[in-house]
Amino acid sequence: MDRLLDIKNLKISFNNDFSLTEAVNGIDLYINDKEILGLAGESGSGKSVTALSLTRLLPSTAVISGSVIFQGQDLLKLKTGRLNKIRGSKIGYIFQEPTSFLNPVFSIGFQISEALIFHQGLTKKQAFDVSVGLLEQVHMPRAKEQMYKYPHQLSGGMNQRVMIAMALACRPKLLIADEPTTALDVTIESGILALLEELRSTLGLSVLLISHDLSIMQRLAERIAVMKDGLIVECAGKDKIFKNPEADYTKMLLDSVIKL
Amino acid sequence: MKKVFRNKLVVVGFVIVFLFLVLAVFAQIITKYDPTAIVVEDALLAPSADHWLGTDQLGRDVFTRLVFGARISLSVGFIAVGIATLIGVILGSIAGYYRGWLDSAIMRFVDIMLCFPVFFLLLAVIAFLEPSIFNIMIVIGLTSWMGVTRLIRAEILSLKEREFILAEHALGASSARVILRHLIPNSIGPVLVSATLGVGAAILVESSLSFLGLGVQPPTPSWGNMLIEAKATLGVAWWLTVFPGVAILFTILGFNLLGEGLREVFGYNG
């Protein structure tokens, strides 16, 4: 299988005048084409920092070394202008707290259309039509009406659907989902996960799914990497992780999953 | 919008400002006199049905001059504040977004500008330039942008750490796009408040400058130069000083009430 994204020896530290904090201490990770890779670990283990570093979205105090090869290019060495062409169009992000990741002063429709206008050069009218289609694709009821709504008028689950629509607007190859359901109710979580699964197969997406919750991983991921203190302690296929984990930390994580 | 007009300060301020705006825009229709036509035999007439607010020592109708003066005062106020706001928004957003040496340079320049007593700076500059409405607008604008710069910078500093800005970068938006389409629209509230208050302040400055003879030049009527012309006849014709003074008072009151009201509605302090 082809590797879509290949991370080699990634190190991230945060440097300010007073201290140096090492967040990620050299990890190797790859994602195959059309694969869902789970990245699990407790808070503070460096999962989100890793996700943001892939397209250099970290604040300027972050020092990143190593390489992130995506379609033959090292994203860590690319000029920001070139990187902006990849962000959003080839690599899409969805985040944990959907409502605060949407701009409060613009309508949903404006925000979904925006990336279409600046990445694909569509006119406002074209972008509007495509956006309605996207909202329908993420199963937004009465999609056309919702285009004129503002983020505060929609529920968290609806806003997460909007974020997914935004992330998928330009048909990216890779979707990075950073705790996509942590802020949502369980029933809504289930709906969003089903949607991600469906989109993966209809659009041929690869997904980097980040979560502390192994039950989500069990449902979606094909391979799982377990992270702790900035290192990957174990990376293997789903079955192996769940049935025959090697690292002690993985066993501990598995034990901490609430069973019904 | 409904919320804005439920605020009493906003309503009162808006009505006053709107009234002066109507007077200024429809000056020609409202009055039948020419603001600069001299009619010597009608000099210093007290307010009457013919001349609502009386006439001055050259027989010009005071009401007409006030209404045309409103045009000058309001346009000076709006354009000066427009210039100041434009400079402030540009410099403030650059400073707040890019930080680093650019931020330090811009903010130190702001500090330097704030060191000068603005009014004396204005006097000095106007003394070198030819005093005209046009120069006044520009000079007032160029000496009053510092507050807006600080305001915008502070807003941008906090806004750019917000999550939706990260999401915007993740979508591949360029820095210029993030600043223009996302940061500035989100920080427009406090700018609106300070601009509204600024219009009142600029009108006052213009009146003061005209009063000192460095502003709008006669025969063009302006509230400030009407006052200075009236000074000579203060003992005989009270209407010459009272009405321009009241006009200045109410315009500034209107803008201040509107600004304070907007501040209450948006919930900003300071």
Coordinates of all heavy atoms in Angstrom, one line a residue, chain B residues 122-180:
Chain B
L122 N -1.4 70.5 16.7 CA -2.3 70.9 15.7 C -2.0 72.4 15.3 O -1.9 72.7 14.1 CB -3.8 70.8 16.1 CG -4.5 69.5 15.9 CD1 -5.8 69.5 16.6 CD2 -4.7 69.3 14.5
L123 N -1.9 73.2 16.3 CA -1.7 74.6 16.1 C -0.4 74.8 15.3 O -0.3 75.6 14.4 CB -1.6 75.4 17.4 CG -2.9 75.6 18.2 CD1 -2.6 76.4 19.4 CD2 -3.9 76.4 17.3
A124 N 0.6 74.1 15.7 CA 1.9 74.2 15.1 C 1.8 73.8 13.6 O 2.3 74.5 12.7 CB 3.0 73.3 15.8
V125 N 1.2 72.7 13.4 CA 1.1 72.2 12.0 C 0.3 73.1 11.1 O 0.7 73.5 10.0 CB 0.5 70.8 11.9 CG1 0.3 70.3 10.5 CG2 1.4 69.8 12.7
I126 N -0.9 73.6 11.6 CA -1.7 74.5 10.9 C -1.0 75.8 10.6 O -1.2 76.4 9.5 CB -3.1 74.7 11.7 CG1 -3.9 73.4 11.8 CG2 -3.9 75.8 11.0 CD1 -4.6 73.0 10.6
A127 N -0.2 76.2 11.5 CA 0.5 77.5 11.3 C 1.4 77.4 10.1 O 1.6 78.4 9.4 CB 1.4 77.8 12.6
F128 N 1.9 76.2 9.8 CA 2.8 76.1 8.6 C 2.0 75.9 7.4 O 2.4 76.3 6.3 CB 3.7 74.9 8.8 CG 4.9 75.1 9.7 CD1 4.9 74.5 11.0 CD2 5.9 76.0 9.3 CE1 5.9 74.8 11.8 CE2 6.9 76.3 10.2 CZ 7.0 75.7 11.4
L129 N 0.8 75.2 7.5 CA 0.0 75.0 6.3 C -1.0 76.1 6.1 O -1.2 76.9 7.0 CB -0.8 73.6 6.5 CG 0.1 72.4 6.6 CD1 -0.8 71.2 7.0 CD2 0.8 72.1 5.3
E130 N -1.6 76.1 5.0 CA -2.7 77.1 4.8 C -3.9 76.6 5.5 O -4.3 75.5 5.3 CB -3.0 77.2 3.3 CG -3.7 78.4 2.9 CD -3.8 78.4 1.3 OE1 -2.7 78.1 0.7 OE2 -4.9 78.6 0.8
P131 N -4.5 77.4 6.4 CA -5.7 76.9 7.1 C -6.9 76.7 6.1 O -7.3 77.7 5.6 CB -6.0 78.0 8.2 CG -5.1 79.1 7.9 CD -4.1 78.8 6.8
S132 N -7.3 75.5 5.9 CA -8.5 75.3 5.0 C -9.2 74.1 5.6 O -8.6 73.3 6.4 CB -8.1 75.0 3.6 OG -7.5 73.7 3.5
I133 N -10.5 73.9 5.2 CA -11.2 72.8 5.7 C -10.5 71.5 5.5 O -10.4 70.6 6.3 CB -12.6 72.7 5.0 CG1 -13.3 74.0 5.1 CG2 -13.5 71.6 5.6 CD1 -14.5 74.1 4.3
F134 N -10.0 71.4 4.2 CA -9.3 70.2 3.8 C -8.1 69.8 4.7 O -8.0 68.7 5.2 CB -8.9 70.4 2.4 CG -8.4 69.1 1.7 CD1 -9.3 68.1 1.5 CD2 -7.1 69.0 1.3 CE1 -8.9 66.9 0.8 CE2 -6.6 67.8 0.7 CZ -7.5 66.8 0.5
N135 N -7.3 70.8 4.9 CA -6.1 70.6 5.8 C -6.5 70.2 7.2 O -5.9 69.4 7.8 CB -5.2 71.9 5.8 CG -4.4 72.0 4.6 OD1 -4.2 71.0 3.9 ND2 -3.9 73.2 4.3
I136 N -7.6 70.9 7.7 CA -8.0 70.6 9.1 C -8.4 69.2 9.2 O -8.0 68.5 10.2 CB -9.3 71.5 9.4 CG1 -8.9 73.0 9.3 CG2 -9.8 71.2 10.7 CD1 -8.5 73.6 10.5
M137 N -9.2 68.7 8.2 CA -9.6 67.3 8.3 C -8.4 66.3 8.4 O -8.3 65.4 9.3 CB -10.4 66.9 7.0 CG -11.7 67.5 6.9 SD -12.3 67.2 5.2 CE -13.9 67.9 5.3
I138 N -7.5 66.6 7.5 CA -6.3 65.7 7.5 C -5.5 65.8 8.7 O -5.1 64.8 9.3 CB -5.4 66.0 6.2 CG1 -6.2 65.6 5.0 CG2 -4.1 65.2 6.2 CD1 -5.5 65.9 3.7
V139 N -5.2 67.0 9.2 CA -4.4 67.1 10.4 C -5.1 66.6 11.6 O -4.4 65.9 12.4 CB -4.0 68.6 10.5 CG1 -3.3 68.8 11.8 CG2 -3.2 69.1 9.4
I140 N -6.4 66.8 11.8 CA -7.0 66.2 12.9 C -7.0 64.7 12.8 O -6.7 64.0 13.8 CB -8.5 66.7 13.0 CG1 -8.6 68.2 13.3 CG2 -9.2 65.9 14.1 CD1 -10.0 68.7 13.4
G141 N -7.2 64.2 11.6 CA -7.1 62.7 11.4 C -5.7 62.2 11.8 O -5.6 61.2 12.5
L142 N -4.7 62.9 11.3 CA -3.3 62.4 11.5 C -2.8 62.5 13.0 O -1.8 62.0 13.4 CB -2.3 63.2 10.6 CG -2.4 62.8 9.1 CD1 -1.4 63.6 8.4 CD2 -2.2 61.4 8.9
T143 N -3.6 63.3 13.8 CA -3.2 63.4 15.2 C -4.1 62.7 16.2 O -3.9 62.8 17.4 CB -3.1 64.9 15.6 OG1 -4.3 65.5 15.2 CG2 -1.9 65.6 15.0
S144 N -5.0 61.9 15.7 CA -5.9 61.2 16.6 C -6.1 59.7 16.4 O -7.1 59.2 16.8 CB -7.3 62.0 16.6 OG -7.8 62.0 15.3
W145 N -5.1 59.1 15.7 CA -5.3 57.7 15.4 C -4.7 56.8 16.5 O -4.9 55.6 16.4 CB -4.6 57.4 14.0 CG -3.2 57.9 14.0 CD1 -2.8 59.1 13.6 CD2 -2.0 57.2 14.4 NE1 -1.4 59.2 13.7 CE2 -0.9 58.1 14.2 CE3 -1.8 55.9 14.9 CZ2 0.4 57.7 14.5 CZ3 -0.4 55.6 15.2 CH2 0.6 56.5 15.0
M146 N -4.0 57.3 17.5 CA -3.3 56.5 18.4 C -4.2 55.6 19.3 O -3.9 54.4 19.5 CB -2.4 57.3 19.3 CG -1.3 58.0 18.5 SD -1.8 59.6 17.7 CE -1.9 60.7 19.1
G147 N -5.3 56.2 19.7 CA -6.2 55.4 20.6 C -6.8 54.2 19.8 O -6.8 53.1 20.4
V148 N -7.2 54.4 18.6 CA -7.8 53.3 17.8 C -6.7 52.2 17.6 O -7.0 51.0 17.6 CB -8.2 53.8 16.4 CG1 -9.0 52.7 15.7 CG2 -9.1 55.1 16.5
T149 N -5.5 52.7 17.3 CA -4.4 51.7 17.1 C -4.2 50.8 18.3 O -4.2 49.5 18.2 CB -3.1 52.4 16.9 OG1 -3.3 53.4 15.9 CG2 -2.0 51.4 16.4
R150 N -4.2 51.4 19.5 CA -4.1 50.6 20.7 C -5.2 49.6 20.9 O -5.1 48.5 21.3 CB -4.0 51.5 21.9 CG -2.7 52.2 22.0 CD -2.6 52.9 23.4 NE -1.2 53.2 23.7 CZ -0.9 53.8 24.8 NH1 -1.8 54.3 25.6 NH2 0.4 54.0 25.1
L151 N -6.4 50.2 20.6 CA -7.7 49.4 20.8 C -7.7 48.2 19.9 O -7.9 47.1 20.3 CB -8.8 50.3 20.4 CG -10.2 50.0 21.0 CD1 -10.1 50.3 22.5 CD2 -11.2 51.0 20.4
I152 N -7.4 48.4 18.6 CA -7.4 47.3 17.6 C -6.3 46.3 18.0 O -6.5 45.1 17.9 CB -7.2 47.9 16.2 CG1 -8.5 48.5 15.7 CG2 -6.7 46.8 15.3 CD1 -9.4 47.5 15.1
R153 N -5.1 46.8 18.3 CA -4.0 45.9 18.6 C -4.4 44.9 19.8 O -4.3 43.7 19.7 CB -2.8 46.7 19.0 CG -1.7 45.8 19.5 CD -0.4 46.6 19.8 NE 0.6 45.7 20.4 CZ 0.7 45.5 21.7 NH1 -0.1 46.0 22.6 NH2 1.7 44.7 22.1
A154 N -5.0 45.5 20.8 CA -5.4 44.7 22.0 C -6.5 43.7 21.6 O -6.4 42.5 22.0 CB -6.0 45.6 23.1
E155 N -7.5 44.1 20.8 CA -8.5 43.2 20.3 C -7.9 42.0 19.5 O -8.2 40.9 19.7 CB -9.5 43.9 19.4 CG -10.5 44.7 20.1 CD -11.5 43.9 20.9 OE1 -12.1 42.9 20.3 OE2 -11.7 44.1 22.1
I156 N -7.0 42.4 18.6 CA -6.4 41.4 17.7 C -5.5 40.4 18.5 O -5.6 39.2 18.3 CB -5.6 42.1 16.6 CG1 -6.5 42.9 15.8 CG2 -4.8 41.0 15.8 CD1 -6.8 42.5 14.4
L157 N -4.8 40.9 19.5 CA -4.0 40.1 20.3 C -4.8 39.0 21.0 O -4.4 37.8 21.0 CB -3.4 40.9 21.5 CG -2.1 41.6 21.1 CD1 -1.5 42.3 22.4 CD2 -1.0 40.7 20.6
S158 N -6.0 39.3 21.5 CA -6.8 38.3 22.1 C -7.5 37.4 21.1 O -7.6 36.2 21.2 CB -7.8 38.9 23.1 OG -8.9 39.4 22.5
L159 N -8.0 38.1 20.0 CA -8.7 37.3 19.0 C -7.9 36.3 18.3 O -8.4 35.2 18.0 CB -9.3 38.3 18.0 CG -10.6 39.0 18.3 CD1 -10.9 40.0 17.2 CD2 -11.8 38.0 18.4
K160 N -6.6 36.6 18.1 CA -5.9 35.7 17.2 C -5.5 34.4 17.9 O -5.1 33.4 17.3 CB -4.6 36.4 16.6 CG -3.5 36.5 17.6 CD -2.3 37.0 16.8 CE -1.1 37.0 17.8 NZ 0.2 36.8 17.1
E161 N -5.7 34.4 19.2 CA -5.5 33.1 20.0 C -6.8 32.3 20.0 O -6.8 31.2 20.5 CB -5.1 33.4 21.4 CG -3.8 34.2 21.5 CD -2.6 33.6 20.9 OE1 -2.5 32.3 20.9 OE2 -1.7 34.3 20.3
R162 N -7.9 32.8 19.5 CA -9.1 32.1 19.5 C -9.1 31.0 18.5 O -8.4 31.0 17.5 CB -10.3 33.1 19.2 CG -10.5 34.1 20.2 CD -11.4 33.7 21.3 NE -12.8 33.4 20.8 CZ -13.7 34.3 20.6 NH1 -13.5 35.5 20.9 NH2 -14.9 34.0 20.2
E163 N -9.9 29.9 18.8 CA -9.8 28.7 18.0 C -10.2 28.9 16.6 O -9.7 28.2 15.7 CB -10.6 27.6 18.7 CG -9.8 26.9 19.8 CD -10.6 26.9 21.1 OE1 -11.6 27.6 21.2 OE2 -10.2 26.2 22.0
F164 N -11.2 29.7 16.3 CA -11.7 29.8 14.9 C -10.6 30.4 14.0 O -10.6 30.2 12.8 CB -13.0 30.5 14.8 CG -13.0 32.0 15.2 CD1 -12.6 33.0 14.4 CD2 -13.4 32.3 16.5 CE1 -12.6 34.3 14.7 CE2 -13.4 33.6 16.9 CZ -13.0 34.6 16.0
I165 N -9.7 31.1 14.6 CA -8.6 31.6 13.8 C -7.6 30.5 13.4 O -7.1 30.4 12.3 CB -7.8 32.8 14.5 CG1 -8.8 34.0 14.7 CG2 -6.6 33.2 13.8 CD1 -9.4 34.6 13.5
L166 N -7.4 29.6 14.4 CA -6.6 28.4 14.1 C -7.2 27.6 13.0 O -6.6 27.1 12.1 CB -6.4 27.6 15.4 CG -5.7 26.2 15.2 CD1 -4.3 26.5 14.8 CD2 -5.8 25.4 16.5
A167 N -8.6 27.5 13.1 CA -9.3 26.7 12.1 C -9.2 27.3 10.7 O -9.1 26.6 9.7 CB -10.8 26.6 12.5
E168 N -9.2 28.7 10.7 CA -9.0 29.4 9.5 C -7.7 29.1 8.8 O -7.6 28.9 7.6 CB -9.2 30.9 9.7 CG -9.6 31.7 8.5 CD -10.9 31.1 7.9 OE1 -11.8 30.6 8.5 OE2 -10.9 31.2 6.6
H169 N -6.6 29.1 9.7 CA -5.3 28.8 9.1 C -5.3 27.3 8.6 O -4.6 27.0 7.6 CB -4.2 29.0 10.2 CG -3.8 30.4 10.5 ND1 -3.2 31.1 9.5 CD2 -4.0 31.2 11.5 CE1 -3.0 32.3 9.9 NE2 -3.5 32.4 11.2
A170 N -6.0 26.5 9.4 CA -6.0 25.1 9.0 C -6.7 24.9 7.6 O -6.5 23.9 6.9 CB -6.7 24.2 10.0
L171 N -7.6 25.8 7.3 CA -8.2 25.8 6.0 C -7.4 26.3 4.9 O -7.7 26.3 3.7 CB -9.5 26.6 6.0 CG -10.8 25.9 6.5 CD1 -11.9 26.9 6.4 CD2 -11.1 24.7 5.6
G172 N -6.2 26.9 5.2 CA -5.3 27.4 4.2 C -5.5 28.8 3.9 O -5.1 29.3 2.8
A173 N -6.1 29.6 4.8 CA -6.3 31.0 4.5 C -4.9 31.8 4.8 O -4.2 31.5 5.7 CB -7.3 31.6 5.4
S174 N -4.6 32.7 3.9 CA -3.4 33.5 4.0 C -3.5 34.5 5.2 O -4.6 34.7 5.7 CB -3.1 34.2 2.8 OG -4.2 35.1 2.5
S175 N -2.4 35.0 5.7 CA -2.4 35.9 6.8 C -3.3 37.1 6.5 O -4.1 37.6 7.3 CB -1.0 36.4 7.2 OG -0.3 35.3 7.6
A176 N -3.1 37.6 5.3 CA -3.9 38.8 4.9 C -5.4 38.5 5.0 O -6.2 39.3 5.5 CB -3.5 39.3 3.5
R177 N -5.7 37.4 4.5 CA -7.2 37.0 4.5 C -7.7 36.8 6.0 O -8.8 37.3 6.3 CB -7.3 35.7 3.8 CG -8.8 35.3 3.6 CD -9.0 34.1 2.8 NE -10.4 34.0 2.5 CZ -10.9 34.6 1.4 NH1 -10.1 35.2 0.6 NH2 -12.2 34.5 1.2
V178 N -6.8 36.2 6.8 CA -7.2 36.1 8.2 C -7.4 37.4 8.9 O -8.4 37.6 9.6 CB -6.2 35.2 9.0 CG1 -6.5 35.3 10.5 CG2 -6.2 33.8 8.5
I179 N -6.5 38.4 8.6 CA -6.6 39.7 9.2 C -7.9 40.4 8.7 O -8.7 40.9 9.5 CB -5.4 40.5 8.9 CG1 -4.2 39.9 9.6 CG2 -5.6 42.0 9.4 CD1 -2.9 40.6 9.3
L180 N -8.0 40.5 7.4 CA -9.0 41.3 6.8 C -10.4 40.7 6.9 O -11.4 41.4 7.2 CB -8.8 41.5 5.3 CG -7.6 42.4 5.0 CD1 -7.3 42.4 3.5 CD2 -7.8 43.8 5.5

